Every structure is written in structure tokens, then in C-alpha cells.
Amino acid sequence: MAITLVNPEGLPEIDVYRQVSIASGSRQVFIAGQVSWDADGVTVGAGDLAAQVEQCYLNIDTALAAVGGSFADVAKLTVYVVDWTPDKMPLLIEGITRAAARLGVTPVPPGTLLGVAALDVPDHLVEVEATAVLD
């Protein structure tokens, strides 16, 4: 594995992500922001934040598989949520948990969560971009 995730002493320990990722691989992979489209470009989970988060994570894994990686190689995530409010956190975590179960991993790389006014398609509630490192 080219990525080691840690929570350094002196920083808060957060359940849903680690504070630091150490990359020891030789290839960086930058994945464009993934929305909840399926392979045919149809929005999965219209109106359902958890379903859309799950699909975004699955799309990231699909992109990584195409270059010989997996979600375990993700060094950092950036999550953009339309009209973010803290009460949406359980839905975000539900989507991540469902994706983790389907992928067989615990996706906890360092991440940044940003609230945005809108995304490219009105039905999209979330977009997730990733940086990965492969051996």
C-alpha cells in the first residue's frame, strides 16, 4: 500500500477521516470531481444525499481500478455538498458507510468538506474529487 493514514498526537481524532496521509508510492493520480452518474450518465439517487455520496465513492473506485488502483490508494478527498448544513452530516456518513461496505474498505483519508451553492446539474447534491498515490 502506498498510503499510510495517521492521526498525530496533538490533533483531534476524528472518526470519519484521518488527519494525515503519508504517500510512499511513485504515481500520483488526480480524479476529477465525481457526481452520482452511473456509467450511462444517469443520475443515481435523485434527491437522496446518502445515495449520491455512495455513488460518488463507487465512481472514484471505478476510476482508480482503471489505472490499477483502489479506494485504499486515496491520499485525500474533497467533498462539495450543495446547501451544506451540519444536519446533513448523518446522510453524508450513511453514504460513505454504504460505499465502504460495498468496496470492502474503510475510506478515511484526510478530507475537506465544502458547502457550495450549486453543482453543474441541478439534481446533483454532492461531488467528490480524489487524489491517490500508487506504487
Side-chain angles (χ1 to χ4, degrees), residues 58-79:
L58 295 175
N59 288 349
I60 289 168
D61 192 68
T62 297
L64 285 164
V67 296
S70 72
F71 215 101
D73 298 307
V74 173
K76 179 159 188 329
L77 294 171
T78 303
V79 180

Side-chain angles (χ1 to χ4, degrees), residues 48-118:
D48 182 343
L49 179 60
Q52 290 196 18
V53 169
E54 179 181 8
Q55 185 65 42
C56 291
Y57 276 58
L58 295 175
N59 288 349
I60 289 168
D61 192 68
T62 297
L64 285 164
V67 296
S70 72
F71 215 101
D73 298 307
V74 173
K76 179 159 188 329
L77 294 171
T78 303
V79 180
Y80 304 90
V81 180
V82 174
D83 296 326
W84 173 258
T85 55
D87 64 315
K88 293 181 180 179
M89 184 60 83
L91 293 171
L92 181 71
I93 292 172
E94 179 185 336
I96 294 169
T97 301
R98 290 180 356 201
R102 288 182 66 182
L103 298 171
V105 299
T106 303
V108 292
T112 299
L113 172 63
L114 299 168
V116 296

Side-chain angles (χ1 to χ4, degrees), residues 3-67:
I3 301 293
T4 303
L5 303 174
V6 296
N7 273 324
E9 216 173 291
L11 293 177
E13 193 166 316
I14 309 295
D15 289 339
V16 296
Y17 67 90
R18 301 299 176 260
Q19 296 282 4
V20 175
S21 92
I22 302 161
S24 60
S26 58
R27 294 189 301 150
Q28 291 185 352
V29 180
F30 301 92
I31 304 199
Q34 295 297 303
V35 293
S36 63
W37 279 331
D38 65 12
D40 296 319
V42 175
T43 299
V44 173
D48 182 343
L49 179 60
Q52 290 196 18
V53 169
E54 179 181 8
Q55 185 65 42
C56 291
Y57 276 58
L58 295 175
N59 288 349
I60 289 168
D61 192 68
T62 297
L64 285 164
V67 296

